[in-house]
Amino acid sequence: MKITSKNIESFNLFELNGRLNQEDLVELEDQIIEKMKYGSKYFLFDISKLSYLNSSGLRILIKTQKQLKLFDGYLVLVDPMPNVKDIMKLSELDDFLNLRYGLKEAIKEFI
Amino acid sequence: MVIIISCLKECIEMKIKKKFKYSFTDDINQIARLEAIVHSMGKEWSIDEKLQFSINLVLEELISNIIFYGFKNKNPQNIINIEATINSDNIVLIISDNAIEFNLLEHEAKVISGKNIEEQEVGGLGVHFIKNLTSYINYNRKSGYNYLTLSFIFKP
């Protein structure tokens, strides 16, 4: 898995590329904590190239969303691949994790 | 006569279908093998990407659960076996392990959404995936082993 991040508008944009496997979870969580430490509270996740994630990956996203909400922040997931979208719907997390389509549209909606 | 010939044909076809058998120790890093394992099953049996995703996810949730919570002590004899077979309508997986007794069917797959999401139980999501992505589940405990049989509907 390749995880990159950059700033876009007032958001911290994470791009997740590949499979989010067990061994990538710690790295993802560390990068999120690092950004939160510096006061970031609006996170966008471009998941258009995320081909796989398990329940532990989802739990990191749930935990991050809960923490961000404590500081009036939020995370938004953008452009899931069909299989990833299906398991988010199956776990009824699509609303809670702000699943959206189109990066520009998501930025416009949440800015 | 037609029925007999058709049954015979199916039996022959099933016989030539390859059976997959794998073993895992109680090392969580072994989970990384699953991608290649499911990929070879997919290639051999022409399983579409969506079903491969489901099989991979279900196996990962199960095996990681056994490794994290099932083996109480590190022991070189700790083992998880997977046997995969295919018939005309289903892919059948039998997962056997010598971890502590765990009957998945007795665990509620509760998914909590919306306002009460903080109450989501640890492990609840994994069980939810296993129960919702499979078409049949059966559990047995025999001679110190858990035997879990799962099947996935397969349309070639």
Side-chain angles (χ1 to χ4, degrees):
Chain A
M1 149 124 307
K2 196 175 159 205
I3 305 168
T4 52
S5 70
K6 60 185 175 194
N7 293 324
I8 180 162
E9 305 279 350
S10 53
F11 292 96
N12 217 293
L13 173 68
F14 284 94
E15 289 170 335
L16 308 184
N17 194 331
R19 294 168 62 93
L20 183 57
N21 285 323
Q22 206 69 33
E23 65 268 23
D24 306 304
L25 297 174
V26 177
E27 194 198 333
L28 177 64
E29 200 164 20
D30 284 352
Q31 287 207 27
I32 291 171
I33 292 168
E34 189 66 19
K35 299 291 174 194
M36 283 167 99
K37 241 186 346 199
Y38 288 101
S40 296
K41 54 180 188 175
Y42 306 113
F43 288 8
L44 273 173
F45 285 83
D46 178 348
I47 54 169
S48 59
K49 291 180 184 124
L50 173 69
S51 54
Y52 178 86
L53 90 164
N54 58 18
S55 65
S56 306
L58 276 172
R59 269 196 290 277
I60 289 179
L61 296 174
I62 296 170
K63 191 173 150 194
T64 305
Q65 185 72 302
K66 283 186 202 168
Q67 284 171 340
L68 291 171
K69 282 188 171 187
L70 294 175
F71 302 100
D72 292 321
Y74 47 79
L75 70 77
V76 181
L77 301 181
V78 186
D79 291 336
M81 288 170 86
N83 290 333
V84 171
K85 184 193 82 184
D86 286 351
I87 66 153
M88 293 208 176
K89 286 205 176 284
L90 184 61
S91 46
E92 299 176 28
L93 287 166
D94 40 337
D95 276 350
F96 181 72
L97 296 175
N98 294 321
L99 203 62
R100 294 293 188 275
Y101 293 90
L103 195 58
K104 278 183 191 160
E105 289 81 355
I107 291 171
K108 212 183 273 176
E109 182 187 340
F110 283 89
I111 206 159
Chain B
M1 189 65 179
V2 175
I3 295 170
I4 295 169
I5 292 168
S6 141
C7 284
L8 201 65
K9 195 172 164 260
E10 197 174 315
C11 287
I12 292 165
E13 276 174 6
M14 277 173 68
K15 219 171 178 180
I16 58 166
K17 296 264 188 193
K18 193 175 162 184
K19 196 185 244 190
F20 287 88
K21 279 183 180 183
Y22 300 97
S23 289
F24 290 73
T25 59
D26 60 354
D27 174 6
I28 196 62
N29 294 320
Q30 294 217 350
I31 289 282
R33 290 168 56 206
L34 277 176
E35 183 185 2
I37 287 173
V38 176
H39 185 72
S40 8
M41 278 164 53
K43 211 173 158 191
E44 178 74 23
W45 295 338
S46 307
I47 307 172
D48 67 35
E49 207 189 302
K50 188 178 165 64
L51 185 53
Q52 283 189 43
F53 186 98
S54 298
I55 294 172
N56 193 151
L57 184 60
V58 165
L59 283 175
E60 181 167 2
E61 299 294 346
L62 266 173
I63 294 172
S64 56
N65 194 46
I66 296 167
I67 293 174
F68 284 135
Y69 309 109
F71 293 120
K72 291 295 174 198
N73 301 303
K74 273 267 169 204
N75 185 331
Q77 277 148 5
N78 290 345
I79 194 158
I80 304 164
N81 300 307
I82 300 172
E83 193 181 306
T85 51
I86 191 166
N87 59 41
S88 51
D89 309 306
N90 296 286
I91 288 168
V92 181
L93 303 179
I94 300 173
I95 298 101
S96 57
D97 65 80
N98 55 358
I100 56 164
E101 186 167 354
F102 180 76
N103 182 356
L104 185 87
L105 294 168
E106 287 172 357
H107 289 259
E108 211 180 331
K110 210 172 178 184
V111 162
I112 301 164
S113 53
K115 282 181 194 164
N116 300 323
I117 200 148
E118 355 272 302
E119 293 166 24
Q120 180 70 59
E121 280 175 48
V122 176
L125 264 181
V127 175
H128 180 73
F129 290 150
I130 297 164
K131 289 193 173 179
N132 283 279
L133 294 171
T134 53
S135 57
Y136 170 85
I137 303 178
N138 186 40
Y139 172 81
N140 276 303
R141 177 87 180 172
K142 213 170 111 186
S143 312
Y145 274 77
N146 296 299
Y147 288 89
L148 190 69
T149 305
L150 305 171
S151 83
F152 297 81
I153 293 170
F154 173 63
K155 288 172 194 147

